[in-house]
């Protein structure tokens, strides 16, 4: 089964497994209504965050029964967000693909940290896991997330109108994606 060698390092960040002690940092964003507006679930209590951290601390290996890798994004000494990969195609057939997702604490917005962390986990998906395509789904109203996809070089592939029942309402859905060959072309010096 594919593994991602952890931690992943970028210029400013470390992407690693969650661990006990991360609860306060994670509460700082997972408890905020505005932060979870576009992601599944309601704002979490401190107790729920503790459960989430404990659950994620035991995750790691990507396999059919556990195809999701969620990593803590750490600025030295502080978790500022999390990024995830959800792999398809781990059950034996070719054509692996991965959905990518992200959530960050609002007080670090606008400094490129989400872009830097997303780039690192996507790089690992292509180079270490060997996926063919990475994709993201989002509400087009979530313009910060759409801009993030575009900064990463993802193409907007599809728009579905009022196609997703999410948080008690029908919402539009956009799909962004990038293939391994496109990612490699962007990464290689021109
Ligand atoms: C989506 C989300 C992660 C985007 O956060 P963000 O702060 O806009 O993204 P980044 O950290 O990459 O910062 C990018 C911004 O910083 C600027 N920036 C500054 N320095 C930068 C650098 N070194 N590199 C890249 N961008 C930089 C960019 O220009 C950009 O600003 P702009 O959006 O005004 O053009 C954040 O809004 C979030 O967590 N939302 C809640 C959860 C959510 O909705 N998740 C997605 C569900 S689909």
């Amino acid at each position: 089964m594919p593994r991602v060698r952890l931690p992943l390092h970028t210029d400013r960040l470390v992407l690693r497994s969650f661990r006990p002690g991360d609860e306060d940092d994670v509460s700082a964003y997972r408890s905020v209504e505005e932060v979870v507006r576009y992601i599944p679930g309601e704002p979490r209590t401190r107790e729920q965050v503790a459960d989430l951290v404990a659950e994620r601390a035991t995750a790691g290996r990507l396999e059919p029964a556990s195809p999701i890798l969620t990593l803590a994004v750490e600025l030295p000494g502080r978790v500022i967000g999390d990024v995830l990969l959800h792999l398809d195609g781990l059950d034996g057939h070719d054509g692996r693909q991965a959905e990518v997702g992200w959530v960050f604490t609002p007080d670090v917005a606008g400094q490129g940290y989400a872009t830097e962390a997303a780039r690192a986990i996507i790089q690992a998906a292509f180079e270490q896991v060997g996926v063919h395509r990475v994709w993201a789904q989002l509400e087009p109203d979530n313009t910060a997330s759409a801009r993030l996809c575009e900064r990463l070089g993802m193409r907007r592939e599809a728009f579905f109108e009022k196609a997703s029942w999410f948080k008690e309402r029908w919402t539009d859905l956009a799909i962004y994606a990038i293939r391994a060959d496109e990612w490699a072309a962007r990464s290689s010096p021109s």
Side-chain angles (χ1 to χ4, degrees):
M1 284 298 155
R3 299 204 68 150
V4 174
R5 289 185 297 279
L6 298 178
L8 302 173
H9 291 272
T10 71
D11 287 347
R12 299 178 291 177
L13 305 169
V14 178
L15 278 62
R16 59 158 174 83
S17 301
F18 281 89
R19 59 187 180 223
D22 289 338
E23 295 81 1
D24 288 344
D25 290 344
V26 176
S27 275
Y29 56 96
R30 286 278 175 176
S31 64
V32 178
E33 177 88 48
E34 193 53 33
V35 172
V36 302
R37 177 172 171 200
Y38 294 112
I39 61 177
E42 297 304 317
R44 292 178 195 245
T45 62
R46 180 69 172 59
E47 196 177 33
Q48 289 168 330
V49 167
D51 290 344
L52 187 73
V53 168
E55 185 186 301
R56 288 177 172 180
T58 61
R61 187 191 292 263
L62 290 162
E63 50 199 346
S66 135
I68 302 177
L69 177 70
T70 309
L71 298 179
V73 179
E74 186 183 309
L75 259 182
R78 178 190 173 200
V79 174
I80 58 167
D82 49 79
V83 288
L84 76 80
L85 273 186
H86 185 170
L87 264 84
D88 290 331
L90 282 172
D91 48 2
H93 65 80
D94 290 338
R96 284 180 192 150
Q97 305 194 45
E99 181 180 358
V100 64
W102 37 66
V103 53
F104 281 75
T105 193
D107 69 284
V108 301
Q111 300 177 69
Y113 291 128
T115 306
E116 195 169 313
R119 196 170 280 138
I121 200 168
I122 293 172
Q123 182 88 6
F126 284 128
E127 292 193 349
Q128 297 189 38
V129 182
V131 303
H132 158 71
R133 175 174 173 269
V134 170
W135 62 282
Q137 55 179 322
L138 51 96
E139 276 184 53
D141 286 355
N142 188 353
T143 53
S145 204
R147 285 200 300 278
L148 173 48
C149 288
E150 283 158 15
R151 273 194 302 280
L152 293 165
M154 302 174 87
R155 286 169 289 96
R156 183 160 131 164
E157 286 191 337
F159 170 82
F160 300 102
E161 196 169 310
K162 298 278 180 280
S164 172
W165 180 250
F166 186 70
K167 301 203 168 175
E168 302 301 313
R169 65 199 170 95
W170 287 107
T171 61
D172 296 342
L173 190 64
I175 303 293
Y176 285 79
I178 187 163
R179 294 185 314 269
D181 59 316
E182 295 172 306
W183 186 264
R186 282 176 63 86
S187 306
S188 61
S190 47

